[in-house]
Amino acid sequence: MLALTACGSASGGAGAAAGAGTSRAPDAVEPLPDTPVPALPATATSADGRAVTVASAERIVPLNGSLAEIVFSLGLGPKVVARDVSTTFQQATALPVITQAHDVSAEGVLSLHPTVVLADRSTGPAEAIAQIRAAGVPLLVLDDAKRLEDVGPRIDTVAAALGVPDAGRQLKERTEQRTTAARAALPTVERHPKVAFLYLRGSASVYLLGGPASGAGSLITAVGGEDAGTAAGLTGDFTPLTSEALVKAAPDAILVMSKGLDSVGGVDGLLKLPGVAQTPAGLDRRIVSIEDGQLLSYGPRTPQVIHEIAEQLYPGAAK
């Protein structure tokens, strides 16, 4: 995908030309070197309080990209029989999609005869979840992952439910080591840049500014930045983008998903949205763009996301 770049004065102490681009690493997951053999049955406690017993991991259906990423990274990708629209990495693209927009099709799931289904609290509608459970399929709900601290427990829970706890420990340790290394490689900056996370869907005229519950704040902090929406006093996850809100946030950089950036016509189109051109980020054209399926996945590829955000946020900066 074409990277969009432009030069301007640096802010946030980067001391280098600013720009925008999409994540350059391949959109793929890295399985553990050894394929684990599930030891089942295994019982796990679902986030909605149910005890869920999994007797077979032969036909797995993860209902979002983050959970699919964990399953594939554990080495159980060949046992996955379906994906949702947010599961876009290379190893899963041939699988059938069983969501309509972001809603799960219970009929689509059940038609594939799954032996276990993985979901989180944001998965819906509730009627579909109830229908899958009523058919006798073990369905485990996990808490939503919105912080770096959520990655390890999420891996543990999925691995334990699928009967591969040792593989889970290996994957968690690998992910933690890579996260530490990615953060250690960050450049030294004069001050923490304020970064605004914008959710953009130009085709639907949806333009939102992220707040403390958007899920991006933990990543922004991890790369040495300050979440501009939180600093501006926003509450909740998102608020409609207005000139007043963005000017008040005064971001030094803007973080977006790559498809969202494409949907508004790239950097030039983004600068036409309310208030963007008047911010330090807009004046410097300092835009950070990460693939949609990777940015907020909070899973084994999160260290890669940290590296790619930092690479774009601090172009050319030395550690």
Side-chain angles (χ1 to χ4, degrees), residues 19 30 53 74 79 82 148 190 246-247 256 265 267 271 275 294 315-316:
E30 180 187 350
T53 298
L74 287 168
K79 299 181 183 296
L148 288 180
E190 296 172 6
L246 199 54
V247 169
V256 295
V267 174
L271 293 175
Q294 296 182 33

Side-chain angles (χ1 to χ4, degrees), residues 80-282:
V80 176
V81 297
R83 66 183 176 98
D84 81 312
V85 293
S86 69
T87 302
T88 57
F89 52 82
Q90 292 173 2
Q91 294 98 322
T93 53
L95 294 171
V97 177
I98 39 74
T99 55
Q100 301 167 346
H102 291 288
D103 289 338
V104 175
S105 166
E107 293 79 7
V109 171
L110 294 174
S111 71
L112 295 167
H113 309 290
T115 57
V116 56
V117 175
L118 303 173
D120 60 24
R121 290 187 182 274
S122 62
T123 305
E127 294 78 9
I129 300 301
Q131 186 176 344
I132 293 169
R133 279 180 163 157
V137 179
L139 188 153
L140 182 71
V141 177
L142 285 82
D143 287 318
D144 295 339
K146 291 192 173 184
R147 305 172 303 158
L148 288 180
E149 294 80 4
D150 297 331
V151 175
R154 197 169 178 83
I155 292 172
D156 282 339
T157 300
V158 171
L162 298 180
V164 291
D166 289 342
R169 283 187 286 271
Q170 293 176 40
L171 181 59
K172 181 172 72 170
E173 181 179 350
R174 186 184 80 177
T175 304
E176 290 173 347
Q177 290 174 346
R178 291 179 176 181
T179 299
T180 299
R183 299 186 72 173
L186 292 172
T188 300
V189 296
E190 296 172 6
R191 69 179 181 87
H192 300 298
K194 288 201 294 183
V195 182
F197 174 46
L198 302 187
Y199 180 84
L200 311 171
R201 285 297 179 264
S203 59
S205 297
V206 175
Y207 313 114
L208 305 173
L209 171 60
S214 73
S218 185
L219 293 169
I220 291 170
T221 300
V223 298
E226 179 183 13
D227 181 32
T230 300
L234 298 184
T235 59
D237 50 7
F238 292 95
T239 189
L241 181 64
T242 64
S243 296
E244 294 77 13
L246 199 54
V247 169
K248 181 179 180 181
D252 300 302
I254 290 173
L255 173 64
V256 295
M257 296 180 181
S258 58
K259 289 182 181 177
L261 184 62
D262 289 344
S263 77
V264 298
V267 174
D268 289 336
L270 177 60
L271 293 175
K272 296 176 183 178
L273 297 183
V276 174
Q278 287 73 50
T279 65

